[in-house]
Amino acid sequence: CRAYSLVDSSQVSTFLISILLIVYGSFRSLNMDFENQDKEKDNSSTTGSFNGNSTNNSIQTIDSTQALFLPIGASVSLLVMFFFFDSVQVVFTICTAVLATIAFAFLLLPMCQYLTRPCSPQNKISFGCCGRFTAAELLSFSLSVMLVLIWVLTGHWLLMDALAMGLCVAMIAFVRLPSLKVSCLLLSGLLIYDVFWVFFSAYIFNSNVMVKVATQPADNPLDVLSRKLHLGPNVGRDVPRLSLPGKLVFPSSTGSHFSMLGIGDIVMPGLLLCFVLRYDNYKKQANSDSCGAPGPGNISGRMQKVSYFHCTLIGYFVGLLTATVASRIHRAAQPALLYLVPFTLLPLLTMAYLKGDLRRMWSEPFHSKSSSSRFLEV
């Protein structure tokens, strides 16, 4: 009851939205793998050859070196935003708006494909050097541009949340963790990064660097443009300053405060959940190919039926709930990864050890020669 009293409607909204984004992004990622496999099979049928290791060029796989240096790069970016925010805020706002436009168009694409399927063919329309696009892609991009323009004019938190949701889904869908080893390196490094910049940065920089950068609004590009072009005192002055879509915010029922969760606290555990979802489907297909071979004799059938995805998703929810309760008890910002990483990684490692999958999951399970073409087909 005490834990329930420490969670209000804004936290509940954050829980539900973050979990839905992770689940949706993971399944979008899996569907992209299915589509790539279908394309590879079509190519193999026409060329007479098949390369099981070919991947989509738009998908970025994080290796061990990138996992180690990503927290360092994030720290450098954080310091640049902390010390030189006034100088780079306009450029950063424009870049963020462009990325959010593309990401939100990706989020809207399935809905637009459903809407345009009955009334238009799926043939691509050529735009010269810009490329070829279907009607659904053009519609989703147009709606995304419209939403970004309204956000720039109004600065409403709900539109910012929509753009942040698109960024979360796109990052989960297009970035891959190849193994449990890389997952542990990445999440452990980001845990240290999160704890340091939230708890210890104030002792060095006399300010909580993470909180200040996350909550500092940026000048509206329309206001800056009107001042640069001397368009008059009333042009561009009514537009608000923009809180950048690097976080999800939800107002409390009383409107006295906002609940905030950074998209990194959604995307990074989401990449782990995407990895285990792919592994669950990979193992299911491998077991069906081997005529349903049973698991290790010391593991009960009930344990074998529990998927890694569900186990890790429950751990994410418990970790997020613990982080929220801790922030309300201490009345201060908490590094969410301090709670999310242990509650997701430790149950996953324990279950993988008990099921006998830890060795395979640790070392790039999808790249083995004997199973390069064993994927779930839809």
Side-chain angles (χ1 to χ4, degrees), residues 71-117:
I72 299 176
S75 299
V76 173
S77 301
L78 199 64
L79 285 176
V80 170
M81 293 297 296
F82 180 73
F83 286 111
F84 307 106
F85 184 79
D86 292 337
S87 302
V88 302
Q89 59 178 326
V90 176
V91 175
F92 189 74
T93 302
I94 294 174
C95 293
T96 303
V98 172
L99 291 176
T101 303
I102 299 172
F104 193 73
F106 175 76
L107 180 64
L108 292 177
L109 183 58
M111 181 191 70
C112 294
Q113 288 174 337
Y114 177 79
L115 294 175
T116 59
R117 186 178 293 115

Side-chain angles (χ1 to χ4, degrees), residues 59-202:
I59 295 175
Q60 175 65 41
T61 301
I62 299 178
D63 57 25
S64 299
T65 303
Q66 293 171 332
L68 288 173
F69 281 96
L70 195 147
I72 299 176
S75 299
V76 173
S77 301
L78 199 64
L79 285 176
V80 170
M81 293 297 296
F82 180 73
F83 286 111
F84 307 106
F85 184 79
D86 292 337
S87 302
V88 302
Q89 59 178 326
V90 176
V91 175
F92 189 74
T93 302
I94 294 174
C95 293
T96 303
V98 172
L99 291 176
T101 303
I102 299 172
F104 193 73
F106 175 76
L107 180 64
L108 292 177
L109 183 58
M111 181 191 70
C112 294
Q113 288 174 337
Y114 177 79
L115 294 175
T116 59
R117 186 178 293 115
C119 56
S120 67
Q122 296 300 313
N123 298 330
K124 292 189 175 183
I125 304 171
S126 176
F127 283 83
C129 60
C130 295
R132 298 170 59 86
F133 306 95
T134 63
E137 291 171 342
L138 294 175
L139 177 60
S140 64
F141 184 74
S142 300
L143 293 175
S144 181
V145 170
M146 186 182 305
L147 183 135
V148 171
L149 290 177
I150 297 174
W151 168 67
V152 171
L153 292 173
T154 64
H156 199 277
W157 64 268
L158 193 58
L159 300 179
M160 184 194 70
D161 280 358
L163 298 177
M165 292 175 195
L167 288 171
C168 289
V169 171
M171 292 178 69
I172 294 174
F174 285 99
V175 180
R176 297 284 192 277
L177 293 176
S179 66
L180 194 54
K181 173 186 175 181
V182 176
S183 303
C184 291
L185 287 175
L186 178 64
L187 292 176
S188 299
L190 290 173
L191 185 152
I192 297 172
Y193 155 86
D194 211 15
V195 169
F196 173 79
W197 290 110
V198 173
F199 284 154
F200 300 104
S201 60

